[in-house]
Amino acid sequence: DGTEVPYFIVMKKDIVLDGKNPTLLYGYGGFEISLGPHYIATSGLAWLERGGVYVEANIRGGGEFGPKWHQAALKENRNKAYEDFIAVGEHLIESGICKPKTLATRGGSNGGLLMGNMYTMRPDLFGAIHCAVPLLDMKRFHTLLAGASWMAEYGNPDTDDWD
C-alpha cells in the first residue's frame, strides 16, 4: 500500500554485498513489541563472522512507531503485517543483498504466525522458513489458556465478521 517499512540490517563492517549473502530476516509484528538492532555474541560468531547478514523488519503491528503503527495491523488489518514483511524481503533481493535461495526467515510466537503466512503466501521468496512456537489455529486460539487475551490483537473468531 506504499507504506515505508524500515528495517535494521546487521553485518560485518567489511562485507561485500553481492547478492549471494546468506541473509536471515526476522519478524514479529504484533502486540506493540518493538524490534531494534542488537548483537548476540553466539549468533555473531556463528552467522555474522562467517559472512551472514541479519535483518530485523519493523513491520506494522509492532511498537516501533507508537500506537498507530501497532493499530494499523490489528484484527481485520492483520494482513498489513504480512504485506510489510514480504515488502522487506523483496527489497533485500532488489537491493542485491541476497537472492530468494539465500534468504531465510525466522519468527516465533506471533512471529510464528507470520512465518506460517509467509509459507502459504510467498514460499518462493524464501530459501528457508523457521516457524518457531507458532500460533496457527486462528479459529480456536481464543480457547487456549491465554487465548482470550489475544482477541484484542486478532479479533474474535466467533463473530460473524470473522470469515
Side-chain angles (χ1 to χ4, degrees), residues 125-153:
L125 190 60
F126 306 102
I129 297 174
H130 177 195
C131 183
V133 293
L135 171 64
L136 297 175
D137 186 349
M138 298 309 291
K139 288 294 233 180
R140 297 181 334 134
F141 77 87
H142 62 303
T143 65
L144 300 171
L145 292 176
S149 67
W150 303 334
M151 287 194 292
E153 191 81 10

Side-chain angles (χ1 to χ4, degrees), residues 15 48 53 60 81-82 89 97-99 102 119 134-136 139 142-144 160 163:
I15 194 169
L48 301 175
V53 176
R60 285 176 280 184
Y82 311 142
I97 294 169
C98 58
K99 296 178 178 166
T102 63
Y119 183 74
L135 171 64
L136 297 175
K139 288 294 233 180
H142 62 303
T143 65
L144 300 171
D160 291 338
D163 292 325

Side-chain angles (χ1 to χ4, degrees), residues 27-33 35 57 59-62 73 78 81 110-111 114 153:
Y28 189 79
F31 297 92
E32 208 168 347
I33 293 174
L35 299 180
I59 61 178
R60 285 176 280 184
R78 174 61 53 190
N110 182 70
L114 174 65
E153 191 81 10

Side-chain angles (χ1 to χ4, degrees), residues 36-58:
H38 61 278
Y39 181 85
I40 301 170
T42 54
S43 299
L45 288 174
W47 186 252
L48 301 175
E49 294 298 323
R50 292 188 172 104
V53 176
Y54 180 73
V55 180
E56 285 193 347
N58 297 138

Side-chain angles (χ1 to χ4, degrees), residues 1-160:
D1 65 7
T3 301
E4 289 189 27
V5 182
Y7 58 85
F8 292 103
I9 185 165
V10 182
M11 61 192 143
K12 279 182 70 172
K13 186 176 178 179
D14 58 351
I15 194 169
V16 175
L17 297 174
D18 59 5
K20 299 176 186 173
N21 305 89
T23 304
L24 179 59
L25 173 58
Y26 178 80
Y28 189 79
F31 297 92
E32 208 168 347
I33 293 174
S34 298
L35 299 180
H38 61 278
Y39 181 85
I40 301 170
T42 54
S43 299
L45 288 174
W47 186 252
L48 301 175
E49 294 298 323
R50 292 188 172 104
V53 176
Y54 180 73
V55 180
E56 285 193 347
N58 297 138
I59 61 178
R60 285 176 280 184
E64 292 85 357
F65 302 104
K68 286 185 180 179
W69 191 253
H70 170 240
Q71 293 161 3
L74 289 180
K75 300 178 181 175
E76 68 274 3
N77 293 318
R78 174 61 53 190
N79 63 302
K80 296 297 181 192
Y82 311 142
E83 292 166 5
D84 288 356
F85 198 77
I86 289 168
V88 172
E90 290 173 338
H91 189 260
L92 293 169
I93 293 164
E94 291 164 7
S95 299
I97 294 169
C98 58
K99 296 178 178 166
K101 69 180 183 179
T102 63
L103 177 59
T105 187
R106 179 181 184 280
S109 188
N110 182 70
L113 175 60
L114 174 65
M115 295 305 105
N117 278 279
M118 294 305 100
Y119 183 74
T120 58
M121 294 171 70
R122 288 298 306 276
D124 61 301
L125 190 60
F126 306 102
I129 297 174
H130 177 195
C131 183
V133 293
L135 171 64
L136 297 175
D137 186 349
M138 298 309 291
K139 288 294 233 180
R140 297 181 334 134
F141 77 87
H142 62 303
T143 65
L144 300 171
L145 292 176
S149 67
W150 303 334
M151 287 194 292
E153 191 81 10
Y154 303 123
N156 183 346
D158 290 336
T159 59
D160 291 338

